[in-house]
Amino acid sequence: MDHRAVILAAAMAAVILSPWEVRAQSVVEAVRMGLDNSYILQAERERHNALIEGQVQVRNLRRPNIQLEATSNIRQRASLNAGAYIRDTSEPGSLSLSAVQPLVLGGRYQAAMREADLRVAQSVARIRGRELSVVREIIEAYADVRRDYQVSEIRAEGVTWLTDQLAGTRARQKEGLVGLTEVSQVETRLASARRLATNAQARLQSSWAILERRMGARPAGLTEDEIHPDDLPDTLLEAIDLAIANSNVLKASRFDEDIARAAARRIQAENGPRVNLQASVSGRSDTSFNGDRDYDAQIGVRFVMPLWSGGQPQSRARAALAESNAARFDAIADERLLTEQVTTAWARLNAARNSKAIAEELVRAAQVARRGAELEFDIGLRSIIEVLNQEQELQEARVGFESAKAELMAAQAALSSLIGLDPTGVINERTQFDPSKMAISYATATPGKLAVWERPLVTVFEVVDDAQLDTRSTINTLKRSVFGPEL
């Protein structure tokens, strides 16, 4: 870090104070902190947790359901016999235990499982895309703060320089070397410089607020290090190809079509047969005011086959397929939009590189021109207005150079985000969002880790349910031949 970076960090610490301050940070450290503190990412991860629970709920369709039911009552009965009321009291009760194990779900389980898996995969793509968006936003805010701080310093230096010029001009006026016009010219420029300095300070405060919101904390200062993305493509066509292949936003959009098709298959599976293995044990006592007790135990298979539903499932399936077609067209439109965005970002990056080089040359030329104007003014070859103009040109050139540096950093971040890259290197295969590393506490058994007594029952379901898929089309064909097509 050179002396300018140290001065920048120290000055920012003196100007901006906050209870959330931490030490001066590089852009890489700022990005790392922003990713750790982003509530937007945390919200997306919680939504991902909800979708994982959806997977759990679908997997639980394979598992048995066991229910215990108990009742206890007090009953009184009164009867008139030979002019006298006879009252009987009993306390009937019942206790039953029932269990249901699915054997065949007619394809519902497979279709629902695929839909749930696709929603989780789409969530992963969205989170990873959002991570890159957070990186880009932090880099842009970081560059804006550095630019606005430097502009504020330039404007403050301009006010100081003009104040000294005003004092010198008034001294020359007393000596009769200049007139009131020259003094008024300097005063006018000084008033304008103060206005620009005030606006620059206000803009700096606003930029700090944006950076603090995106980072989750306000650093005591920023360093002057730049980002140097090494993986940017050499040509526009390469950039477009990388974006189409790596864009998580586009991947999430394409998942919409697959999800809609999976939903259509799930709806179509509602016409399939269902077979459940059922067993129950029950007992009842004193139900007839005679103290009797009854016990019952049964086991059996229940078969349900939808024969006619008025075309409702078919209509819902067609609606889902229409949504799938719409999602496919949306994905194509998103791909075209991505191509447009990459082209714009590519042009922006090239323009920013050229603008920075040109701005740097302008600053050097303006410095030479101002120094020459001051020397010529001292020997009477230049007027005060010419010196003021040269000073204003130098200030604007310096402001333009700081804006060009910020624009270059923002352009690099924008193109990197579009093609699926992190220019800071904070996000990589080790640090990017990985759902397998998330610790989730399930209310039920973790998927894949069934209770010992459940395993044989679930195994039977998997064997029987998979076997019946081949016969489902035959059953549907027989239904249509007997009842006709459902519209």
Side-chain angles (χ1 to χ4, degrees):
M1 184 186 302
D2 59 15
H3 69 284
R4 291 183 62 197
V6 175
I7 294 174
L8 174 61
M12 285 186 176
V15 174
I16 307 296
L17 298 177
S18 169
W20 297 281
E21 285 179 301
V22 294
R23 67 177 180 84
Q25 291 180 320
S26 66
V27 62
V28 174
E29 293 171 330
V31 167
R32 185 176 292 111
M33 174 176 287
L35 289 172
D36 292 338
N37 296 337
S38 174
Y39 286 114
I40 294 176
L41 288 178
Q42 292 180 22
E44 290 291 343
R45 292 179 184 125
E46 290 302 322
R47 294 187 185 98
H48 182 79
N49 288 346
L51 292 174
I52 289 180
E53 292 295 343
Q55 284 182 312
V56 176
Q57 294 165 18
V58 174
R59 286 190 173 97
N60 287 343
L61 294 176
R62 308 171 301 167
R63 305 172 68 179
N65 293 320
I66 301 176
Q67 180 174 313
L68 176 66
E69 182 179 353
T71 61
S72 178
N73 302 296
I74 299 177
R75 296 175 59 189
Q76 281 192 341
R77 182 179 62 182
S79 59
L80 184 62
N81 187 8
Y85 281 99
I86 300 175
R87 303 187 191 291
D88 295 326
T89 301
S90 69
E91 296 181 2
S94 64
L95 180 66
S96 65
L97 178 66
S98 61
V100 177
Q101 169 61 48
L103 296 179
V104 173
L105 292 178
R108 295 171 179 82
Y109 172 75
Q110 289 81 358
M113 195 69 252
R114 174 164 176 76
E115 182 181 356
D117 290 342
L118 288 171
R119 292 187 184 278
V120 170
Q122 183 186 52
S123 175
V124 173
R126 283 177 175 167
I127 294 175
R128 290 178 177 174
R130 190 56 188 158
E131 284 178 338
L132 291 176
S133 296
V134 169
V135 171
R136 174 181 55 79
E137 292 169 358
I138 292 174
I139 292 175
E140 290 175 349
Y142 191 99
D144 288 345
V145 170
R146 292 199 317 189
R147 176 202 62 204
D148 293 339
Y149 173 77
Q150 294 292 354
V151 170
S152 178
E153 288 294 295
I154 292 170
R155 298 305 187 191
E157 290 173 7
V159 171
T160 301
W161 186 86
L162 286 169
T163 301
D164 294 340
Q165 288 294 321
L166 180 60
T169 304
R170 285 173 175 170
R172 291 187 181 93
Q173 183 189 24
K174 291 180 181 180
E175 297 174 2
L177 300 177
V178 297
L180 182 61
T181 300
E182 286 77 4
V183 174
S184 299
Q185 288 174 338
V186 178
E187 289 176 340
T188 301
R189 292 296 178 90
L190 178 58
S192 177
R194 286 172 175 165
R195 176 181 61 82
L196 292 175
T198 300
N199 293 340
Q201 281 290 332
R203 187 172 181 178
L204 175 60
Q205 295 289 338
S206 176
S207 298
W208 265 116
I210 295 173
L211 179 61
E212 181 179 358
R213 172 175 61 84
R214 293 178 179 177
M215 285 181 58
R218 177 178 292 184
L222 307 181
T223 63
E224 286 197 335
D225 61 322
E226 304 289 341
I227 59 174
H228 301 285
D230 300 326
D231 298 329
L232 290 180
D234 297 326
T235 65
L236 174 59
L237 292 179
E238 291 180 4
I240 293 174
D241 290 340
L242 278 175
I244 293 176
N246 298 334
S247 173
N248 289 292
V249 175
L250 187 57
K251 290 178 183 177
S253 178
R254 288 169 174 167
F255 272 121
D256 285 332
E257 178 184 359
D258 296 331
I259 290 172
R261 289 192 177 277
R265 285 193 291 268
R266 172 177 52 80
I267 295 170
Q268 290 170 345
E270 293 179 3
N271 282 330
R274 287 174 292 176
V275 180
N276 293 332
L277 176 64
Q278 300 178 338
S280 64
V281 178
S282 62
R284 296 176 297 276
S285 64
D286 201 13
T287 58
S288 302
F289 294 91
N290 57 7
D292 60 338
R293 284 187 172 89
D294 297 328
Y295 300 96
D296 180 64
Q298 60 181 349
I299 185 170
V301 176
R302 182 170 182 261
F303 173 84
V304 178
M305 180 65 196
L307 296 179
W308 184 265
S309 54
Q312 186 72 5
Q314 288 76 7
S315 176
R316 292 168 54 204
R318 288 195 298 271
L321 290 175
E323 291 291 340
S324 174
N325 293 332
R328 182 172 67 256
F329 293 131
D330 287 339
I332 295 173
D334 290 340
E335 183 174 333
R336 292 179 178 176
L337 176 61
L338 180 62
T339 301
E340 175 190 341
Q341 291 173 336
V342 172
T343 303
T344 302
W346 182 266
R348 177 188 178 188
L349 178 59
N350 289 333
R353 287 169 175 166
N354 295 331
S355 296
K356 181 183 177 183
I358 294 172
E360 196 169 6
E361 292 295 330
L362 285 175
V363 170
R364 282 196 289 265
Q367 288 173 337
V368 173
R370 192 194 72 168
R371 181 57 180 162
E374 288 177 337
L375 293 176
E376 293 174 353
F377 174 76
D378 291 339
I379 60 177
L381 297 178
R382 296 278 184 178
S383 65
I384 186 64
I385 190 62
E386 291 176 303
V387 175
L388 295 178
N389 288 340
Q390 289 299 329
E391 171 62 23
Q392 184 176 359
E393 287 184 8
L394 175 58
Q395 281 196 28
E396 295 306 321
R398 293 175 63 191
V399 169
F401 178 62
E402 296 301 331
S403 298
K405 289 198 301 183
E407 174 64 13
L408 177 58
M409 183 179 286
Q412 290 172 330
L415 181 59
S416 297
S417 177
L418 287 171
I419 63 178
L421 299 176
D422 171 20
T424 64
V426 174
I427 300 176
N428 51 46
E429 292 182 359
R430 183 179 60 83
T431 59
Q432 74 176 357
F433 173 73
D434 185 354
S436 65
K437 297 179 181 178
M438 298 182 66
I440 303 176
S441 209
Y442 296 111
T444 58
T446 304
K449 295 183 180 179
L450 301 172
V452 175
W453 60 270
E454 288 182 297
R455 293 174 186 172
L457 297 175
V458 172
T459 301
V460 171
F461 165 79
E462 292 174 346
V463 172
V464 176
D465 193 58
D466 288 343
Q468 67 83 34
L469 290 178
D470 297 332
T471 62
R472 191 173 62 187
S473 59
T474 304
I475 295 175
N476 289 333
T477 302
L478 291 174
K479 284 171 50 181
R480 286 192 295 270
S481 64
V482 175
F483 296 97
E486 295 183 64
L487 301 179

